[in-house]
Amino acid sequence: GDGGPAVLGSMTPEGTMATDSNGSVYFVEPIGVGNSVRALIPSASTVGCMYSAFPAQVTFPTVGGSNSVSVIAAMNSCPWLAFSTTDWVSVTGGANGTGNGTMSFSASPNSLSANRSALIAVAGQFVTVSQTGTPCTFAINVQQISAPAAGLSGTVNVTANLPDCSWMASTNASW
C-alpha cells in the first residue's frame, strides 16, 4: 500500500479485511494466529488495475473436493495474490499471478455436523466457500426391551458418529 493508515473494510470470523487509501486490500489475522498483516494485492503499482473473480461462491459436499476461480484483470500487467483465510481451505495453484489467470483450491472433508463457510481472498475480491456438515447417525445397544408387570429399570447406550451430534430420549407410551 501507500504506508498510510488502513481503513476497516469488513469483518469476518477469521479476521479483518482492510483497505488503504490506494485501494490495496489487506487481511489482518486475529490475535493468536500470528498478529500479522498480509497484503492481498502486491505493493507494486496497481494504478488502473481492476479485478473480478468468479465464481464468487463455491459449495463443497461433506467429503470436500477441488475447484477453481477465474481472475480477470483490467490489464495484463496487473499483479494479484490469493490466499485462504482458514485452515480447511487450501490454495493449491495460482496463489499469485499477473493479468488474467486461474486460482485452484481444495476443501478438506468436514468431520463435524455443522455446515461451515470461509473466505478466499483473490485479487482483492472475496470468494465464499461453503461446505455441508456430516450427517449425524446414532446407534443404540438395545432394540427391544420387555418389562414385567412390576416394572423394570435399565440403561440404553447411545453412540453418535460425531462428537458434536446431540440427541434426546423420549417415549410415546403413556405409562
Side-chain angles (χ1 to χ4, degrees):
D2 61 2
V7 178
L8 181 62
S10 62
M11 297 293 287
T12 69
E14 296 81 18
T16 303
M17 300 293 173
T19 59
D20 66 17
S21 58
N22 282 340
S24 295
V25 181
Y26 299 87
F27 177 72
V28 182
E29 293 179 322
I31 295 174
V33 175
N35 279 338
S36 65
V37 176
R38 292 189 281 178
L40 302 183
I41 299 174
S43 59
S45 176
T46 56
V47 174
C49 289
M50 296 176 56
Y51 306 88
S52 61
F54 64 91
Q57 185 166 347
V58 177
T59 300
F60 285 102
T62 299
V63 296
S66 299
N67 211 320
S68 62
V69 170
S70 295
V71 177
I72 305 300
M75 298 179 292
N76 289 336
S77 61
C78 292
W80 53 270
L81 298 171
F83 68 88
S84 171
T85 62
T86 187
D87 61 351
W88 60 270
V89 176
S90 300
V91 174
T92 57
N96 59 65
T98 304
N100 298 340
T102 301
M103 183 272 302
S104 303
F105 61 99
S106 64
S108 300
N110 188 352
S111 60
L112 298 175
S113 65
N115 296 342
R116 60 187 180 180
S117 63
L119 295 175
I120 296 177
V122 56
Q125 309 298 306
F126 305 109
V127 176
T128 302
V129 179
S130 301
Q131 187 176 34
T132 56
T134 299
C136 292
T137 59
F138 303 94
I140 58 173
N141 68 334
V142 177
Q143 296 298 319
Q144 182 177 340
I145 298 174
S146 296
L152 175 72
S153 65
T155 302
V156 175
N157 293 319
V158 178
T159 305
N161 65 324
L162 300 172
D164 66 331
C165 293
S166 60
W167 58 272
M168 184 173 69
S170 65
T171 181
N172 62 357
S174 60
W175 44 272

